[in-house]
Amino acid sequence: MSTESLIKMANQIAHYFDSEPDRALAVQGVKQHLQSFWAPAMRRQLVEWMQAHPDGEVDGLVREALTGSGVVG
């Protein structure tokens, strides 16, 4: 899958959780969704892209969710 598609989907997930007033719960929601519905290869591809593009257009909730423990693999 293209990285652009992964970024778009991840950002859509994050925007769903934007209405959650507790940021930790929002990050947890994104993290849980990515763990439940994305293949490990998809998560790894997005993390590798984020590492290469630290100022890229990935939403902050996604960044926090993917940099936490146990999400990528």
Side-chain angles (χ1 to χ4, degrees):
M1 180 172 288
S2 75
T3 303
E4 292 79 20
S5 293
L6 294 176
I7 292 167
K8 181 179 178 181
M9 291 188 309
N11 285 342
Q12 288 173 334
I13 295 163
H15 293 311
Y16 175 83
F17 288 99
D18 279 342
S19 62
E20 172 57 60
D22 184 329
R23 185 152 180 99
L25 287 177
V27 170
Q28 182 59 35
V30 173
K31 177 179 177 178
Q32 184 61 48
H33 184 93
L34 296 175
Q35 286 177 324
S36 297
F37 299 107
W38 281 37
M42 294 166 68
R43 296 189 303 262
R44 277 193 300 272
Q45 182 179 344
L46 186 55
V47 167
E48 288 169 3
W49 185 90
M50 289 180 351
Q51 290 169 341
H53 303 89
D55 296 327
E57 65 261 19
V58 176
D59 188 279
L61 290 175
V62 176
R63 288 186 179 279
E64 288 182 53
L66 288 174
T67 57
S69 62
V71 179
V72 176

